[in-house]
Amino acid sequence: MRRVGPLLALLAGALAMSGCTLVPTSDKLVIIRDGNVHLGLLNKTIPGTNGAQVRFVIQPVYIVDASNHLAPSSRIVPSPATLDSVLGQLILGPTAIEKSAGYRSALPAGLIVLQATVKNDIAYIDLSKALSTLSHQRQILATGQLMLSVDGVDSTNRMQISVSGVVQASLLANGKRARIVTPADCRNLLNP
């Protein structure tokens, strides 16, 4: 019985504290005056830097629509758009709203971009998983998603995919395989 007393007191205290909150709630919008926002969060530059600024741009990434074609979807990335930032947004896949509308990604689940570089207008993308493990239709769509999403980013106009450093021949819509993929190879995957 001696151990139950402190336990009950602790439980009663926990119940009393669970009703407390540090942030008052309200059903109405509350306007916060500029003077009450601290740490320089309303400044035009990044706090703690020597005047650094971040600008954002809208960049399309391509996902699979309900008709099994590729469709552009806008994503916000830091300006200028880089291969890493665009691929990061592509790997995240469709948003919850896009999923509810029937959109999906053909890329394998859990895919990681190990490295992405640009040389001579070619995007070299090293992936953690081979696209060849997917069905033929998904391989074609996944290749198209990658190529069309990175087209023009960092002045790219071609792409080469590797898996853990080993170059892969990508399956194209015409049934052929190519080590270097161009946007023209993927344009027929777009929704007409």
Side-chain angles (χ1 to χ4, degrees):
M1 195 64 174
R2 287 180 138 177
R3 292 186 178 177
V4 176
L7 185 60
L8 287 175
L10 183 63
L11 183 60
L15 284 172
M17 293 297 290
S18 69
C20 298
T21 179
L22 296 175
V23 180
T25 59
S26 174
D27 293 336
K28 298 177 184 176
L29 291 176
V30 177
I31 297 174
I32 300 172
R33 293 193 174 112
D34 291 353
N36 291 338
V37 179
H38 304 288
L39 302 176
L41 296 177
L42 295 179
N43 294 352
K44 292 184 180 188
T45 60
I46 301 170
T49 65
N50 222 6
Q53 296 180 345
V54 177
R55 288 183 169 62
F56 295 94
V57 294
I58 296 174
Q59 177 70 33
V61 297
Y62 287 79
I63 55 178
V64 183
D65 66 13
S67 67
N68 223 24
H69 290 90
L70 296 181
S73 180
S74 297
R75 297 295 189 265
I76 298 173
V77 296
S79 176
T82 63
L83 201 55
D84 288 331
S85 64
V86 172
L87 288 171
Q89 290 298 313
L90 179 63
I91 296 296
L92 289 176
T95 64
I97 292 172
E98 290 167 341
K99 285 179 185 174
S100 68
Y103 288 80
R104 62 183 175 82
S105 177
L107 298 170
L111 181 69
I112 299 170
V113 176
L114 301 175
Q115 186 175 16
T117 58
V118 178
K119 285 185 187 172
N120 301 325
D121 300 332
I122 300 175
Y124 293 93
I125 304 171
D126 193 26
L127 303 174
S128 62
K129 294 181 180 180
L131 300 181
S132 60
T133 60
L134 305 171
S135 68
H136 281 201
Q137 182 66 20
R138 277 190 67 192
Q139 282 182 59
I140 294 167
L141 288 169
T143 300
Q145 276 188 269
L146 288 164
M147 179 66 250
L148 294 174
S149 294
V150 303
D151 183 26
V153 176
D154 286 339
S155 301
T156 60
N157 58 16
R158 296 174 286 166
M159 172 186 76
Q160 183 181 74
I161 297 173
S162 60
V163 176
S164 299
V166 178
V167 176
Q168 305 290 302
S170 300
L171 183 61
L172 305 176
N174 62 10
K176 296 180 181 178
R177 292 192 176 269
R179 289 178 169 242
I180 303 288
V181 180
T182 67
D185 295 327
C186 305
R187 295 250 189 263
N188 59 344
L189 299 173
L190 295 170
N191 203 343

